Amino acid sequence: MMKTRIPPENPDANLKAYFKTYKEFSWPEIEREFDAFDAEKMNIVSQAVDRWADHPDKKRQWALIYERAGVVRTYTYQELKEESCRWANLLSERGFAPGDRLPILLPTCPEIYFAMLGCARLGVIFVNLYPSLGFDELEWMLSNAEPVGILTNSDLAELLPPETAHFARNIFIVGDDLPGLFSNELPALDLLETMPTEFTNTLFPADTPLYVLYTSGSTGPPKGVLHAHRDMMGHLMTGKYVLELDGDSVLWADAEPGWVTGTVYGAFSPWLCGATSVMQADPFSASTWYRTLERHQVSVWYTTPGTVRKLMRAGDDLPERYDFSNLRHIATVGETLVSDQFFWVRQHLKRAPHDTWWMTETGMICIANFASEQTRPGSMGKPVPGIEAAVLDINGEPLQMLTLGELALKADWPAMMKAIWRDVERYEAYFRNGWFLTGDMAIKDEDGYYYHQGRTDDLIKVETKLVGPYEIERVLCQHPAVTEAAVIAKGAARGTPTVKAFVTVERTYPRSGRLKNEIKAFVRINLHSDIPLTEVDFVDELPKTRSGKLLRRVLRAREMGLPSGDPFKLKE
């Protein structure tokens, strides 16, 4: 753990006094921030869109800014309401009922958000899917979801399995031409033009399903994580206290809607706060990202350390060409934000990045660095108000500070997943003695800051102590030749574990046996003389999910000669 302490960036932030707010916080306080809130009957769209669209001073405010290939399309809250009402009417006309599923398989576009909101109005469960899914994975997800309909385009429709038409009565196609692959294809945009722009939302019990997102599992097929309408309380609270959103904010969460960050913080959270959301559909380039921040006067940017790493590789001089004067808050998610990334962003974008931690299963940010609090590079931060966190031992008992264990959260909170779709056993495995087990290893310091130390199956034993792989990887990356690193534990003769490192190196360094020995010695000198680092492999790239999380289990499977699958098709 680093001892660097960064002073608060904004003492006048929305969350001004962390300890006081955390101690006195109650979820009913958040409920009072909604209009005519009813804890028994609710609909997230009523609060995220309709209350602003019906407000004379907010209805013409931009809710969504969409850019692709230099062309910008904007939608006010009034237009967002109208477009989503069209979708609700279309789904209703086509026989969709509450509880039915609509997978959305589209590249980044506004129609994803319109359809999401239309589903929510009616009680249909939307299922955002990555457009880059492989055939087999897509086939499994659709079989598991058993949707009544699917929303896609002509190109992606070719990925749909032939039996799709048997269970999906409606295949909505966005685009000018129907692919002619299924007998039940429908021209979505043409049909929407005939739909009314008003729709009376159905009000539901708080736990009524809202969406399912599929996320990879370490011991089985992807699992469908189910969330409910009551998530909106967590979306609003974290948008306000963690991302510093208000009604004048312009938020860019540069994540695809197929990732939970794109669903929650690309749409629901900013709209519940009455803010504007930016959607950038162009492929990544450093100049595109900088230009997006400048052109749309982004005030809050929610990104990933992986994106920061790409920006760093593009050079130190490039950001100097752009105007980031509107940018007042930066937050990251997806993997640990290391110190060199932290200081690079602070130097070149003039704002310190604030790392956050959460999972698809948690439904909202649960641990974060706050703008009004001291930041500690390398730390996930502290629990958000309403979340009780702890580090547990193998028996499920809380550990003392500075002791490695499993990160757990006290169940439950409003945005916690409601189920694993059609898999009760997998859902129940998350809980023990009232705690939600995250599967992540962590350490808590004396001031309540948490530090991520890898997954539960990534631990490495050094003598009598357990060492998280992140600590070894951090030291590896301090070697001038190493750009990225991952380590796994390997069994050995007589039961003594060893460590193997996989590293990518700078082009200027030759891949040699001598360099491997230098790297091993460097780790022992800078971390622990007894670290059993016996092997170093040079690789071109490390396997990661789309969100940038390192997949050590893929490396472990490859090392054992087992199938590992395509890491780029996994979400986390």
Side-chain angles (χ1 to χ4, degrees):
M1 296 185 298
M2 292 187 63
K3 296 298 183 181
T4 306
R5 306 291 187 257
I6 307 299
E9 189 168 72
N10 180 15
D12 196 37
N14 289 337
L15 190 152
K16 295 179 175 60
Y18 172 80
F19 289 107
K20 183 176 186 296
T21 302
Y22 185 87
K23 182 179 179 180
E24 299 176 356
F25 179 83
S26 68
W27 287 108
E29 292 180 13
I30 299 299
E31 295 175 1
R32 287 192 285 271
E33 297 195 26
F34 295 108
D35 284 351
F37 182 84
D38 185 343
E40 301 300 323
K41 293 287 186 178
M42 63 181 65
N43 189 306
I44 193 171
V45 186
S46 298
Q47 300 293 341
V49 177
D50 295 355
R51 68 163 166 165
W52 308 123
D54 297 336
H55 193 289
D57 296 330
K58 292 283 289 186
K59 61 192 305 180
R60 294 181 181 84
Q61 177 184 318
W62 288 347
L64 177 63
I65 300 172
Y66 170 76
E67 180 178 353
R68 182 176 182 273
V71 178
V72 177
R73 291 156 56 186
T74 59
Y75 300 88
T76 64
Y77 273 103
Q78 178 64 40
E79 291 169 330
L80 193 62
K81 177 182 179 181
E82 293 173 355
E83 292 294 335
S84 58
C85 283
R86 290 183 194 273
W87 270 103
N89 282 303
L90 175 59
L91 295 174
S92 179
E93 183 181 89
R94 299 300 303 180
F96 283 77
D100 288 342
R101 278 78 61 203
L102 178 73
I104 302 174
L105 181 67
L106 286 172
T108 301
C109 62
E111 284 73 23
I112 296 176
Y113 287 162
F114 300 158
M116 284 167 48
L117 296 171
C119 287
R121 291 184 184 280
L122 187 60
V124 172
I125 303 170
F126 66 85
V127 185
N128 285 340
L129 300 172
Y130 277 103
S132 55
L133 286 172
F135 179 85
D136 291 341
E137 193 172 19
L138 178 60
E139 182 179 32
W140 189 93
M141 291 178 182
L142 293 178
S143 174
N144 181 252
E146 292 189 351
V148 173
I150 296 172
L151 173 60
T152 186
N153 63 19
S154 296
D155 293 335
L156 293 172
E158 296 181 1
L159 295 175
L160 300 178
E163 60 271 21
T164 297
H166 296 304
F167 55 77
R169 300 191 303 267
N170 306 270
I171 300 180
F172 298 106
I173 303 295
V174 174
D176 297 330
D177 300 313
L178 299 181
L181 300 171
F182 304 95
S183 61
N184 51 350
E185 296 170 1
L186 299 167
L189 300 184
D190 291 344
L191 293 173
L192 287 167
E193 289 182 358
T194 67
M195 293 295 117
T197 58
E198 292 290 337
F199 184 87
T200 301
N201 291 342
T202 306
L203 299 180
F204 304 104
D207 288 337
T208 298
L210 174 64
Y211 68 89
V212 168
L213 285 183
Y214 284 92
T215 181
S216 60
S218 59
T219 58
K223 50 186 180 287
V225 180
L226 179 68
H227 282 280
H229 280 257
R230 75 166 186 165
D231 282 27
M232 65 182 180
M233 287 179 278
H235 298 171
L236 174 64
M237 186 272 288
T238 53
K240 177 181 177 181
Y241 286 158
V242 179
L243 298 186
E244 289 297 307
L245 299 179
D246 56 33
D248 297 322
S249 299
V250 177
L251 168 68
W252 181 25
D254 57 0
E256 292 184 60
W259 183 25
V260 67
T261 301
T263 293
V264 173
Y265 295 101
F268 290 123
S269 181
W271 293 337
L272 287 164
C273 295
T276 301
S277 179
V278 172
M279 181 184 254
Q280 171 58 264
D282 290 329
F284 175 85
S285 74
S287 58
T288 296
W289 254 234
Y290 291 140
R291 180 178 51 79
T292 301
L293 292 169
E294 178 186 68
R295 181 177 189 179
H296 303 302
Q297 300 180 20
V298 172
S299 55
V300 181
W301 182 30
Y302 198 24
T303 188
T304 68
T307 297
V308 172
R309 189 160 50 244
K310 294 176 184 177
L311 295 176
M312 292 172 65
R313 290 173 181 167
D316 295 349
D317 60 332
L318 189 57
E320 307 303 323
R321 306 174 190 177
Y322 297 86
D323 178 10
F324 305 127
S325 58
N326 290 287
L327 188 59
R328 56 180 174 79
H329 188 70
I330 301 173
T332 62
V333 67
E335 58 179 300
T336 301
L337 183 76
V338 297
S339 58
D340 61 335
Q341 296 168 346
F342 177 92
F343 289 108
W344 188 91
V345 171
R346 192 173 71 151
Q347 177 182 352
H348 295 284
L349 277 73
K350 313 306 179 186
R351 288 288 180 268
H354 295 74
D355 205 5
T356 67
W357 176 93
W358 61 300
M359 307 164 62
T360 302
E361 293 89 335
T362 69
M364 70 178 205
I365 299 167
C366 291
I367 297 179
N369 289 278
F370 298 91
S372 61
E373 288 289 301
Q374 186 182 80
T375 300
R376 302 186 179 182
S379 169
M380 302 152 61
K382 295 184 287 190
V384 304
I387 293 291
E388 180 183 349
V391 177
L392 305 184
D393 64 16
I394 58 175
N395 298 315
E397 296 298 325
L399 291 164
Q400 61 184 355
M401 64 183 181
L402 302 177
T403 305
L404 182 65
E406 183 172 4
L407 177 65
L409 310 176
K410 181 68 74 173
D412 67 339
W413 57 96
M416 189 183 79
M417 66 173 179
K418 300 309 302 174
I420 298 297
W421 184 254
R422 294 181 173 169
D423 198 332
V424 175
E425 184 178 349
R426 255 174 132 175
Y427 174 75
E428 292 178 345
Y430 280 88
F431 302 94
R432 181 190 296 175
N433 300 330
W435 290 98
F436 171 86
L437 305 178
T438 69
D440 282 348
M441 304 304 292
I443 293 173
K444 182 175 75 170
D445 71 13
E446 63 275 15
D447 296 317
Y449 285 80
Y450 285 78
Y451 298 79
H452 191 270
Q453 298 294 309
R455 295 288 295 170
T456 52
D457 55 358
D458 293 326
L459 291 177
I460 297 160
K461 195 168 187 178
V462 178
E463 294 182 335
T464 60
K465 298 181 179 179
L466 291 174
V467 177
Y470 172 72
E471 282 298 305
I472 303 175
E473 292 160 359
R474 181 181 63 82
V475 174
L476 282 165
C477 289
Q478 291 174 358
H479 189 286
V482 177
T483 55
E484 290 186 280
V487 299
I488 61 171
K490 294 183 62 178
R494 301 175 184 172
T496 303
T498 61
V499 174
K500 181 171 184 176
F502 299 83
V503 300
T504 61
V505 298
E506 295 283 356
R507 295 179 180 178
T508 55
Y509 285 82
R511 299 185 178 191
S512 64
R514 178 176 179 178
L515 180 58
K516 290 182 179 181
N517 290 329
E518 286 182 4
I519 291 173
K520 294 176 191 176
F522 183 86
V523 172
R524 294 189 182 102
I525 291 171
N526 288 278
L527 182 59
H528 196 296
S529 59
D530 292 319
I531 291 289
L533 178 57
T534 58
E535 297 179 72
V536 174
D537 264 11
F538 299 125
V539 295
D540 294 328
E541 60 180 352
L542 297 174
K544 296 178 181 178
T545 66
R546 293 187 184 88
S547 61
K549 291 184 179 178
L550 188 63
L551 289 169
R552 298 184 188 88
R553 67 177 180 272
V554 171
L555 294 171
R556 191 178 298 108
R558 291 174 181 173
E559 192 68 17
M560 297 173 65
L562 300 174
S564 61
D566 184 349
F568 300 103
K569 294 177 182 177
L570 302 176
K571 293 181 184 177
E572 54 182 17

